[in-house]
Structure formats: C-alpha cells, structure tokens
Amino acid sequence: MTDNKKSSEEMKAELDDLNARLSAAREASKPKVASGYNEATTYGRATRLVAELIAGILVGVLLGWYLDQWLGTKPWLMILLIIIGAAAGILNVMRAAKQMVQGGSYNEEGK
Amino acid sequence: MAGPLEQFEIHSKVPIEVAGYDISITNSAISLAIALVILMVFMLGGMRKAALVPGRWQSSVEMCYEFIAKMLGDTAGHEARQFFPFVFTLFMFILTANLMGMVPWLHLFTVTSHIAVTFALAFFIFIGVTILGFIKHGIGFLKFFVPGDAPLALLPLLVIIEIVSYLSRPISLSVRLFANMVAGHTMLQVFGGFVVSLAAAGGIFALGSVLPFAFIVALTGLELLVACLQAYVFAVLTCIYLNDALHMH
C-alpha cells in the first residue's frame, strides 16, 4: 500500500515536472514580439493601402448615385459623398498604416 | 489567338433552366466544385491517420492549421478562437482557388478572379461581423461609429465619415483579391501572346521570343506568391474585423 502511495506521489511530482517543462517550452515558442501585420510583405501592404483608399471613394460614389436616384437630387449628394468617401478612404489608409507600424502593441491592446 | 481577358469569360457547360432562370452549370461552378473536392481530399486525407508523429501529408495539414491558429490569436485575441473554423475554411478555400488558377495546361477557371465570388465572401463576412458586434455589445456597438475625442461641432460629419469607412470594408476586401487575380492572369496571358506572335514572325524575331518567355517564368513565381499572400491578407483582415466587433478597438 505504502509502495503504491509513494509511487502515486512520485507520479505527481513527475507530472508537475512535466507540466513545468511543457509551460516553459510553450513560453519559449511564443514569438518575442506579437506579429500581426509584420509578416506581410511590402507588396501585401501596398495592395492593402491602395484598396482601402479606392474602396472609400467607391462607396461614396455608389451611395451618392443611388441616393440621388432615390431622392431626385442629382448631382449634389453624389458630389458631397465623393468628398466624404475620399475622407473615409484616407481615414482607412491612416488606420491601416497605424496597424502596420504598431504591429505588436495593436495586438496586445486587443486582448 | 485568345485575347487576354477571354480567360475570365463564363461559359455554360451544362445548360439548365428552371422557371425562366438560367442556373446552368458553368466553368466557374465546376471550378468551385473542384476546389472543394481538392480541399476536402487534402484535409481529410491528411487527418486520416491522425498519427502522433505526423507524416508528410499530415504535417502539411497541421502547418496550415497552426499558421492560421497563430494568426487568429495574434490579431483577434483569445476570444476569437470560436471563429477559427470559419477563418480557416475561408483561408484554405481562397488559397486553393487562387493556386488552382496557377496550374498550367489544365486551364482551370480562377473563381477568385470574379468580383461576384469575392464580393459574396466579403459581404457575408461584413454582415456576420456587424451582427456579431450587435450581439456582443447590444446597441452600444453604435459607439463604434463615434470617434472619442472629437469636438461636438464636427461630430455629425465624422460619424458620416466613419459609417462610409465602415461600409467600404467589404469593397476593399473583395476588390483587392479580385484585382490581384485579374491583373496577374492578364499579364501572364499578354506575355504569352508576345511569345507566340514573336515566334510566328520568324527570323531574328523568333530569337526575341525568349525574352517574354523568361519574363513569364519570373511572373509565374510572383503570381504564386501573390496567390498565397492575398489569401493570407483576406484572412488577416477578417480577423481584424472580428477583433473590432469583439473588442471595439
């Protein structure tokens, strides 16, 4: 009986040891700096920024076009919304650029 | 000779018409189905044995899994784990579809070169993420559109800009993937055309056809990179949008 108990205690110690080593290994395999956007290549970043800018203007044009058709205010809402869309596009680009520069800190903030 | 944009044309292979609607099986639909089969064979075949020490096939499946799991954790935090199956499926599907178009000779149709496909994916994500935001934060999700430190007089304008910026998300997501695919495949076709017409011109021109051919080789390498990269960017942005909906910045 005592033998059995002792072996279970030994087992526990062994398991604890394994646990410690496992968590150490997990810690070691974690990246030093959280890499969200850092891994993407320059080409990936460039296409992202361009698409963000164009999408903003495109949404402005489409929204303005349909609102004008609906409300019969051609062409005023479209003109207004193109400007707002361009502003939104620039805002998108600024946000995307910020995410790219911050990389790690952006991710920590998210948790 | 085929024009550079002809490769994107949709032809119906099996004409079907139901109640006046044309629901023929097209080359696009066939490619979608093939992508699905390739993906299922790859994933299920890789996990068939589920060995503790993975073989080559299982290893490549596990690499895909770990890559996306890490990316999801890094960009959207721990709470987003429950959306892993969705992001993983999305990434693997776009990757398969992109890479399928890069196989020479087979002339498989690249489904991601059609805005209808990419916009459907992006719009689904957009709607899903918005619903998720409202479920998570209730009506408080609307605060997402109100910038924190703005003077009161500018607030209405800024809210409109924020809303337009939010609406532009599915468009930027879909246009980027679609434009990259169309541009790459068109370029390959154009330079392929140069090779043929230079070779047909004969004499000294035929020697010149080596140049565009060498360029095609380089371009194919670049396009393989773009195919993987755009699938990755699509998945990363989905994670960022998930993060926004879960944590509101």
Side-chain angles (χ1 to χ4, degrees), chain B residues 219-248:
Chain B
L219 200 61
T220 305
L222 177 72
E223 281 308 308
L224 282 173
L225 170 78
V226 169
C228 299
L229 187 70
Q230 289 305 322
Y232 172 69
V233 169
F234 203 97
V236 166
L237 284 175
T238 307
C239 290
I240 288 176
Y241 297 160
L242 272 174
N243 182 44
D244 280 350
L246 287 171
H247 306 108
M248 293 183 67

mmCIF file of all heavy atoms in Angstrom, chain B residues 219-248:
data_model
loop_
_atom_site.group_PDB
_atom_site.id
_atom_site.type_symbol
_atom_site.label_atom_id
_atom_site.label_comp_id
_atom_site.label_asym_id
_atom_site.label_seq_id
_atom_site.Cartn_x
_atom_site.Cartn_y
_atom_site.Cartn_z
ATOM 1 N N LEU B 219 7.326 35.781 -63.708
ATOM 2 C CA LEU B 219 5.994 36.252 -63.310
ATOM 3 C C LEU B 219 5.190 35.144 -62.650
ATOM 4 O O LEU B 219 4.422 35.397 -61.714
ATOM 5 C CB LEU B 219 5.261 36.752 -64.565
ATOM 6 C CG LEU B 219 4.085 37.693 -64.332
ATOM 7 C CD1 LEU B 219 4.571 38.933 -63.624
ATOM 8 C CD2 LEU B 219 3.444 38.063 -65.638
ATOM 9 N N THR B 220 5.384 33.916 -63.115
ATOM 10 C CA THR B 220 4.667 32.796 -62.507
ATOM 11 C C THR B 220 5.062 32.648 -61.043
ATOM 12 O O THR B 220 4.219 32.418 -60.179
ATOM 13 C CB THR B 220 4.967 31.491 -63.269
ATOM 14 O OG1 THR B 220 4.644 31.700 -64.642
ATOM 15 C CG2 THR B 220 4.146 30.347 -62.730
ATOM 16 N N GLY B 221 6.364 32.823 -60.776
ATOM 17 C CA GLY B 221 6.819 32.782 -59.383
ATOM 18 C C GLY B 221 6.157 33.857 -58.559
ATOM 19 O O GLY B 221 5.651 33.614 -57.455
ATOM 20 N N LEU B 222 6.125 35.080 -59.108
ATOM 21 C CA LEU B 222 5.499 36.193 -58.392
ATOM 22 C C LEU B 222 4.029 35.918 -58.145
ATOM 23 O O LEU B 222 3.500 36.184 -57.067
ATOM 24 C CB LEU B 222 5.665 37.482 -59.217
ATOM 25 C CG LEU B 222 5.000 38.706 -58.611
ATOM 26 C CD1 LEU B 222 5.780 39.164 -57.395
ATOM 27 C CD2 LEU B 222 4.887 39.835 -59.606
ATOM 28 N N GLU B 223 3.359 35.361 -59.169
ATOM 29 C CA GLU B 223 1.926 35.116 -59.045
ATOM 30 C C GLU B 223 1.622 34.051 -57.987
ATOM 31 O O GLU B 223 0.599 34.121 -57.303
ATOM 32 C CB GLU B 223 1.338 34.698 -60.388
ATOM 33 C CG GLU B 223 1.107 35.880 -61.322
ATOM 34 C CD GLU B 223 0.318 36.978 -60.659
ATOM 35 O OE1 GLU B 223 -0.759 36.696 -60.109
ATOM 36 O OE2 GLU B 223 0.789 38.123 -60.651
ATOM 37 N N LEU B 224 2.529 33.078 -57.846
ATOM 38 C CA LEU B 224 2.343 32.081 -56.787
ATOM 39 C C LEU B 224 2.405 32.757 -55.426
ATOM 40 O O LEU B 224 1.608 32.473 -54.522
ATOM 41 C CB LEU B 224 3.425 31.002 -56.886
ATOM 42 C CG LEU B 224 3.210 29.947 -57.962
ATOM 43 C CD1 LEU B 224 4.420 29.050 -58.060
ATOM 44 C CD2 LEU B 224 1.969 29.117 -57.647
ATOM 45 N N LEU B 225 3.352 33.684 -55.283
ATOM 46 C CA LEU B 225 3.463 34.446 -54.036
ATOM 47 C C LEU B 225 2.185 35.246 -53.800
ATOM 48 O O LEU B 225 1.626 35.235 -52.705
ATOM 49 C CB LEU B 225 4.667 35.390 -54.111
ATOM 50 C CG LEU B 225 4.745 36.392 -52.972
ATOM 51 C CD1 LEU B 225 5.269 35.716 -51.723
ATOM 52 C CD2 LEU B 225 5.613 37.575 -53.325
ATOM 53 N N VAL B 226 1.723 35.934 -54.859
ATOM 54 C CA VAL B 226 0.526 36.762 -54.719
ATOM 55 C C VAL B 226 -0.678 35.904 -54.337
ATOM 56 O O VAL B 226 -1.493 36.298 -53.499
ATOM 57 C CB VAL B 226 0.264 37.548 -56.024
ATOM 58 C CG1 VAL B 226 -1.101 38.192 -56.015
ATOM 59 C CG2 VAL B 226 1.326 38.608 -56.222
ATOM 60 N N ALA B 227 -0.788 34.715 -54.931
ATOM 61 C CA ALA B 227 -1.919 33.832 -54.644
ATOM 62 C C ALA B 227 -1.968 33.498 -53.150
ATOM 63 O O ALA B 227 -3.031 33.569 -52.520
ATOM 64 C CB ALA B 227 -1.812 32.557 -55.471
ATOM 65 N N CYS B 228 -0.808 33.172 -52.571
ATOM 66 C CA CYS B 228 -0.766 32.850 -51.139
ATOM 67 C C CYS B 228 -0.983 34.104 -50.303
ATOM 68 O O CYS B 228 -1.723 34.101 -49.320
ATOM 69 C CB CYS B 228 0.575 32.224 -50.778
ATOM 70 S SG CYS B 228 0.898 30.702 -51.644
ATOM 71 N N LEU B 229 -0.320 35.175 -50.731
ATOM 72 C CA LEU B 229 -0.364 36.415 -49.951
ATOM 73 C C LEU B 229 -1.776 36.969 -49.860
ATOM 74 O O LEU B 229 -2.227 37.399 -48.792
ATOM 75 C CB LEU B 229 0.561 37.435 -50.623
ATOM 76 C CG LEU B 229 0.760 38.717 -49.849
ATOM 77 C CD1 LEU B 229 1.587 38.429 -48.627
ATOM 78 C CD2 LEU B 229 1.436 39.753 -50.708
ATOM 79 N N GLN B 230 -2.501 36.939 -50.979
ATOM 80 C CA GLN B 230 -3.840 37.529 -50.961
ATOM 81 C C GLN B 230 -4.803 36.693 -50.119
ATOM 82 O O GLN B 230 -5.685 37.235 -49.462
ATOM 83 C CB GLN B 230 -4.367 37.706 -52.387
ATOM 84 C CG GLN B 230 -3.649 38.803 -53.164
ATOM 85 C CD GLN B 230 -3.668 40.133 -52.463
ATOM 86 O OE1 GLN B 230 -4.655 40.523 -51.845
ATOM 87 N NE2 GLN B 230 -2.562 40.845 -52.509
ATOM 88 N N ALA B 231 -4.601 35.379 -50.131
ATOM 89 C CA ALA B 231 -5.416 34.533 -49.246
ATOM 90 C C ALA B 231 -5.132 34.899 -47.792
ATOM 91 O O ALA B 231 -6.036 35.015 -46.967
ATOM 92 C CB ALA B 231 -5.116 33.058 -49.499
ATOM 93 N N TYR B 232 -3.849 35.124 -47.497
ATOM 94 C CA TYR B 232 -3.446 35.492 -46.137
ATOM 95 C C TYR B 232 -4.019 36.849 -45.735
ATOM 96 O O TYR B 232 -4.567 37.010 -44.647
ATOM 97 C CB TYR B 232 -1.920 35.507 -46.049
ATOM 98 C CG TYR B 232 -1.379 36.043 -44.760
ATOM 99 C CD1 TYR B 232 -1.536 35.338 -43.577
ATOM 100 C CD2 TYR B 232 -0.720 37.262 -44.720
ATOM 101 C CE1 TYR B 232 -1.048 35.828 -42.386
ATOM 102 C CE2 TYR B 232 -0.229 37.762 -43.532
ATOM 103 C CZ TYR B 232 -0.392 37.045 -42.368
ATOM 104 O OH TYR B 232 0.077 37.552 -41.198
ATOM 105 N N VAL B 233 -3.908 37.831 -46.651
ATOM 106 C CA VAL B 233 -4.407 39.171 -46.341
ATOM 107 C C VAL B 233 -5.913 39.138 -46.090
ATOM 108 O O VAL B 233 -6.414 39.771 -45.157
ATOM 109 C CB VAL B 233 -4.054 40.155 -47.480
ATOM 110 C CG1 VAL B 233 -4.781 41.466 -47.298
ATOM 111 C CG2 VAL B 233 -2.566 40.405 -47.535
ATOM 112 N N PHE B 234 -6.608 38.365 -46.906
ATOM 113 C CA PHE B 234 -8.057 38.240 -46.737
ATOM 114 C C PHE B 234 -8.375 37.697 -45.345
ATOM 115 O O PHE B 234 -9.242 38.209 -44.633
ATOM 116 C CB PHE B 234 -8.611 37.288 -47.807
ATOM 117 C CG PHE B 234 -10.065 37.482 -48.113
ATOM 118 C CD1 PHE B 234 -10.462 38.250 -49.186
ATOM 119 C CD2 PHE B 234 -11.043 36.875 -47.341
ATOM 120 C CE1 PHE B 234 -11.796 38.425 -49.482
ATOM 121 C CE2 PHE B 234 -12.387 37.056 -47.629
ATOM 122 C CZ PHE B 234 -12.751 37.828 -48.702
ATOM 123 N N ALA B 235 -7.622 36.667 -44.943
ATOM 124 C CA ALA B 235 -7.868 36.060 -43.629
ATOM 125 C C ALA B 235 -7.478 37.010 -42.502
ATOM 126 O O ALA B 235 -8.201 37.132 -41.502
ATOM 127 C CB ALA B 235 -7.087 34.755 -43.518
ATOM 128 N N VAL B 236 -6.354 37.727 -42.660
ATOM 129 C CA VAL B 236 -5.922 38.669 -41.607
ATOM 130 C C VAL B 236 -6.964 39.755 -41.425
ATOM 131 O O VAL B 236 -7.327 40.109 -40.297
ATOM 132 C CB VAL B 236 -4.561 39.311 -41.962
ATOM 133 C CG1 VAL B 236 -4.302 40.509 -41.073
ATOM 134 C CG2 VAL B 236 -3.441 38.333 -41.782
ATOM 135 N N LEU B 237 -7.470 40.294 -42.540
ATOM 136 C CA LEU B 237 -8.442 41.374 -42.412
ATOM 137 C C LEU B 237 -9.737 40.870 -41.786
ATOM 138 O O LEU B 237 -10.359 41.580 -40.995
ATOM 139 C CB LEU B 237 -8.693 42.014 -43.774
ATOM 140 C CG LEU B 237 -7.535 42.916 -44.184
ATOM 141 C CD1 LEU B 237 -7.730 43.446 -45.572
ATOM 142 C CD2 LEU B 237 -7.396 44.085 -43.217
ATOM 143 N N THR B 238 -10.122 39.637 -42.115
ATOM 144 C CA THR B 238 -11.294 39.063 -41.448
ATOM 145 C C THR B 238 -11.070 39.029 -39.937
ATOM 146 O O THR B 238 -11.965 39.367 -39.155
ATOM 147 C CB THR B 238 -11.550 37.641 -41.962
ATOM 148 O OG1 THR B 238 -11.623 37.687 -43.379
ATOM 149 C CG2 THR B 238 -12.830 37.075 -41.407
ATOM 150 N N CYS B 239 -9.848 38.656 -39.532
ATOM 151 C CA CYS B 239 -9.523 38.623 -38.100
ATOM 152 C C CYS B 239 -9.568 40.015 -37.492
ATOM 153 O O CYS B 239 -10.061 40.194 -36.371
ATOM 154 C CB CYS B 239 -8.131 38.035 -37.884
ATOM 155 S SG CYS B 239 -8.051 36.299 -38.220
ATOM 156 N N ILE B 240 -9.061 41.001 -38.217
ATOM 157 C CA ILE B 240 -9.062 42.375 -37.685
ATOM 158 C C ILE B 240 -10.502 42.856 -37.516
ATOM 159 O O ILE B 240 -10.844 43.481 -36.513
ATOM 160 C CB ILE B 240 -8.260 43.308 -38.620
ATOM 161 C CG1 ILE B 240 -6.765 42.995 -38.493
ATOM 162 C CG2 ILE B 240 -8.518 44.762 -38.272
ATOM 163 C CD1 ILE B 240 -5.888 43.785 -39.430
ATOM 164 N N TYR B 241 -11.349 42.526 -38.481
ATOM 165 C CA TYR B 241 -12.754 42.935 -38.363
ATOM 166 C C TYR B 241 -13.430 42.214 -37.197
ATOM 167 O O TYR B 241 -14.237 42.798 -36.466
ATOM 168 C CB TYR B 241 -13.505 42.656 -39.669
ATOM 169 C CG TYR B 241 -12.986 43.452 -40.850
ATOM 170 C CD1 TYR B 241 -13.235 43.068 -42.150
ATOM 171 C CD2 TYR B 241 -12.220 44.604 -40.642
ATOM 172 C CE1 TYR B 241 -12.750 43.791 -43.219
ATOM 173 C CE2 TYR B 241 -11.729 45.331 -41.707
ATOM 174 C CZ TYR B 241 -11.993 44.920 -42.984
ATOM 175 O OH TYR B 241 -11.511 45.628 -44.043
ATOM 176 N N LEU B 242 -13.083 40.936 -37.024
ATOM 177 C CA LEU B 242 -13.613 40.178 -35.877
ATOM 178 C C LEU B 242 -13.177 40.841 -34.577
ATOM 179 O O LEU B 242 -13.972 41.004 -33.643
ATOM 180 C CB LEU B 242 -13.083 38.748 -35.910
ATOM 181 C CG LEU B 242 -13.871 37.717 -36.695
ATOM 182 C CD1 LEU B 242 -13.120 36.405 -36.720
ATOM 183 C CD2 LEU B 242 -15.248 37.517 -36.089
ATOM 184 N N ASN B 243 -11.898 41.241 -34.541
ATOM 185 C CA ASN B 243 -11.350 41.899 -33.359
ATOM 186 C C ASN B 243 -12.100 43.189 -33.066
ATOM 187 O O ASN B 243 -12.460 43.475 -31.923
ATOM 188 C CB ASN B 243 -9.863 42.181 -33.591
ATOM 189 C CG ASN B 243 -9.215 42.817 -32.389
ATOM 190 O OD1 ASN B 243 -9.448 42.386 -31.267
ATOM 191 N ND2 ASN B 243 -8.417 43.832 -32.614
ATOM 192 N N ASP B 244 -12.378 43.967 -34.112
ATOM 193 C CA ASP B 244 -13.122 45.217 -33.940
ATOM 194 C C ASP B 244 -14.507 44.942 -33.364
ATOM 195 O O ASP B 244 -14.984 45.666 -32.489
ATOM 196 C CB ASP B 244 -13.265 45.944 -35.280
ATOM 197 C CG ASP B 244 -11.998 46.697 -35.633
ATOM 198 O OD1 ASP B 244 -11.124 46.804 -34.758
ATOM 199 O OD2 ASP B 244 -11.889 47.161 -36.775
ATOM 200 N N ALA B 245 -15.156 43.893 -33.876
ATOM 201 C CA ALA B 245 -16.511 43.594 -33.411
ATOM 202 C C ALA B 245 -16.493 43.077 -31.978
ATOM 203 O O ALA B 245 -17.391 43.376 -31.191
ATOM 204 C CB ALA B 245 -17.172 42.567 -34.323
ATOM 205 N N LEU B 246 -15.458 42.307 -31.624
ATOM 206 C CA LEU B 246 -15.405 41.712 -30.285
ATOM 207 C C LEU B 246 -14.977 42.733 -29.243
ATOM 208 O O LEU B 246 -15.524 42.775 -28.145
ATOM 209 C CB LEU B 246 -14.439 40.526 -30.271
ATOM 210 C CG LEU B 246 -14.900 39.257 -30.964
ATOM 211 C CD1 LEU B 246 -13.761 38.264 -31.042
ATOM 212 C CD2 LEU B 246 -16.078 38.648 -30.232
ATOM 213 N N HIS B 247 -13.992 43.558 -29.591
ATOM 214 C CA HIS B 247 -13.400 44.446 -28.579
ATOM 215 C C HIS B 247 -13.656 45.921 -28.844
ATOM 216 O O HIS B 247 -13.290 46.762 -28.028
ATOM 217 C CB HIS B 247 -11.891 44.214 -28.505
ATOM 218 C CG HIS B 247 -11.531 42.778 -28.280
ATOM 219 N ND1 HIS B 247 -10.968 41.997 -29.269
ATOM 220 C CD2 HIS B 247 -11.684 41.980 -27.211
ATOM 221 C CE1 HIS B 247 -10.777 40.780 -28.795
ATOM 222 N NE2 HIS B 247 -11.212 40.739 -27.559
ATOM 223 N N MET B 248 -14.254 46.261 -29.958
ATOM 224 C CA MET B 248 -14.492 47.661 -30.335
ATOM 225 C C MET B 248 -13.227 48.494 -30.192
ATOM 226 O O MET B 248 -13.143 49.398 -29.365
ATOM 227 C CB MET B 248 -15.598 48.269 -29.481
ATOM 228 C CG MET B 248 -16.939 47.640 -29.761
ATOM 229 S SD MET B 248 -18.256 48.404 -28.833
ATOM 230 C CE MET B 248 -18.317 50.016 -29.559
#
